[in-house]
Amino acid sequence: MNRWQYILTACVAVAALTAVIFTACAATQMKINIKEYPAAPTSYKYEVDNSIALSSLSNAPQDNLSRGFRGETYITLGRNEAYPNSNEPYMQKLEYEYSRLKDDGIQLMQVYVYLIEYYNTQIPDSAFEQLKSYMQAFEQKGIKMLLRFAYETNEGQKKGPKTSDIERHCAQLKVFFQNNLQLFNKTVYAMQVGLIGLWGEGHGSAHRHDVKRVLAAVADMTPEGTPIMARTPQMLSQLSDDIEGRFGMHEDYVIGYNDPWVAIATDDEHYQAVINKCKYAVTDGEMPWGRADIRIDMLGSLKTAADFAMTSFSLAHNYTEEGVHNLKNWQSQALTEQMLKDNNLPYNPALLEDGSMSAFDYLKYHLGYQLVASNLVIEDNQASFMITNYGFACPYGYAMTVYVDGKAVETVEQYDWNDLTQFGQKIFTVPYSGGKIQVEFVNQRDKDDKIKLFNDVEYIGGRNVILS
């Protein structure tokens, strides 16, 4: 990193830290009114047996998509530039960020798409061609985006969109997404609201915005079935009933203890309603940048990730940027089984080695879904088995099919991914008179996105062979 880039990133870190203050102050002036959702289970009902071999840490799947650690990168449409005014080519930035985190198994990159070049005019066709080519680069790498559009990056700047400009751009993006739906579904795992204010964080805008109108425009532009995330509970509270079910949240200040800057304190009267909501949506999180040198509580942060049922978590923040930070140190911080139990954290006992695992590996494998098949019983011309979710989040958007002797069969019980929330378990029964039993979970938006179970079994063409 050259001197200019270092100064730039340092300034961004300070500005981001300042921005959190504005977010917190604004949040205190708005009411929280979260739709009521049932509380997810807080413990496992059934014991998992070894009738189907389980994966250990050494052979646990690391390439399941739409979940896990993520990187972070930027593109400014209309320029060959990543972050606005950085003079760093956007493809160079993508290649650098991906290469430095590739060995950690990232399958996701958070992508900020800056529209500041067109803040008060139409987005031209050339910019959409640029965006399409950029998405195709992700397709070639086989990774997905957590996508956020934004405009402004500097406090006090007078150049920024009005609400009508944002709505116009959302209408254009809707057409672009529809015309490139297969590419979108292949490369975008979730959308963040973004668009308003500094870095799309919802504050510090050059103009005041009608948040409800922006939320409606984002919901309208985003293809059906794509998860969307808002930044705060206050934003979630402004969603209309017809779009509320599509939205989760992203907590971008995970530190592990109550503080004026977190999205919502654990002792807030609305905390339970917020985390109940998150169990049935897609949510994400990140720590402050490590260079900000903010104290992080490890167990508290893991509990935040579990409470919010986080699907992905930034490995760009607080890991190895300009030094070694908390997440890197967690690679040598052991979590014992007793610590996991004492903090009511979901965990897969089969992944423990000598009764523990590192905090880094715990987060790596428990973000999002982590599905295990067990308790296989064959009797009376039927086969039954149980699926347990050891992860933080439900397998949002994945359909399940069971194959017996090569043919798809109906389960007696209806499958719903919301049955497999955190601490979720469900038993399925199928007719059986012999042959292989295979289980397939496939993303309804991307048929190549299939789930490997955390079982030590054959995995053939996206199907997990739970009985040979």
Side-chain angles (χ1 to χ4, degrees), residues 248-435:
M249 197 179 117
H250 54 106
E251 165 58 297
D252 290 355
Y253 200 74
V254 176
I255 55 175
Y257 51 90
N258 289 339
D259 183 278
W261 300 347
V262 299
I264 186 168
T266 56
D267 57 0
D268 189 285
E269 62 178 317
H270 302 290
Y271 185 77
Q272 190 63 46
V274 169
I275 65 173
N276 287 350
K277 159 69 176 172
C278 289
K279 297 295 195 299
Y280 299 92
V282 174
T283 67
D284 288 283
E286 63 186 40
M287 295 177 182
W289 290 100
R291 55 184 174 265
D293 197 28
I294 293 168
R295 182 177 73 85
I296 304 292
D297 181 272
M298 184 181 76
L299 280 172
S301 295
L302 295 177
K303 290 182 71 173
T304 298
D307 276 0
F308 283 87
M310 290 183 182
T311 292
S312 82
F313 198 84
S314 177
L315 203 60
H317 292 210
N318 225 302
Y319 185 46
T320 57
E321 82 277 3
E322 293 100 56
V324 172
H325 305 290
N326 282 274
L327 282 167
K328 185 66 175 179
N329 293 330
W330 288 8
Q331 291 179 340
S332 58
Q333 294 289 314
L335 286 177
T336 66
E337 186 166 17
Q338 193 59 52
M339 292 165 69
L340 293 165
K341 287 180 177 178
D342 289 346
N343 288 278
N344 200 37
L345 292 168
Y347 70 96
N348 182 349
L351 300 187
L352 301 180
E353 296 180 336
D354 298 323
S356 68
M357 69 188 308
S358 75
F360 183 88
D361 281 343
Y362 174 75
L363 195 56
K364 176 179 179 178
Y365 289 107
H366 291 81
L367 286 165
Y369 58 82
Q370 187 202 125
L371 305 184
V372 168
S374 68
N375 298 53
L376 178 65
V377 177
I378 298 175
E379 60 183 12
D380 299 329
N381 295 318
Q382 288 186 326
S384 67
F385 60 91
M386 181 169 70
I387 298 293
T388 295
N389 183 14
Y390 281 122
F392 294 157
C394 67
Y396 187 98
Y398 287 87
M400 184 186 79
T401 304
V402 180
Y403 296 85
V404 175
D405 201 21
K407 297 179 181 179
V409 298
E410 295 290 331
T411 58
V412 174
E413 304 79 9
Q414 185 175 1
Y415 164 79
D416 189 315
W417 62 71
N418 281 331
D419 293 330
L420 295 174
T421 59
Q422 190 176 125
F423 290 111
Q425 294 177 303
K426 187 160 184 174
I427 295 172
F428 296 96
T429 307
V430 295
Y432 184 76
S433 56

Side-chain angles (χ1 to χ4, degrees), residues 90-119:
Y90 60 86
M91 286 304 302
Q92 178 178 307
K93 178 65 172 176
L94 170 59
E95 293 296 338
Y96 170 74
E97 292 298 333
Y98 179 63
S99 63
R100 81 181 184 91
L101 298 174
K102 185 178 180 180
D103 289 344
D104 292 299
I106 63 166
Q107 303 291 332
L108 300 170
M109 292 286 285
Q110 182 169 5
V111 176
Y112 291 73
V113 179
Y114 282 100
L115 302 172
I116 190 61
E117 193 79 6
Y118 313 110
Y119 74 96

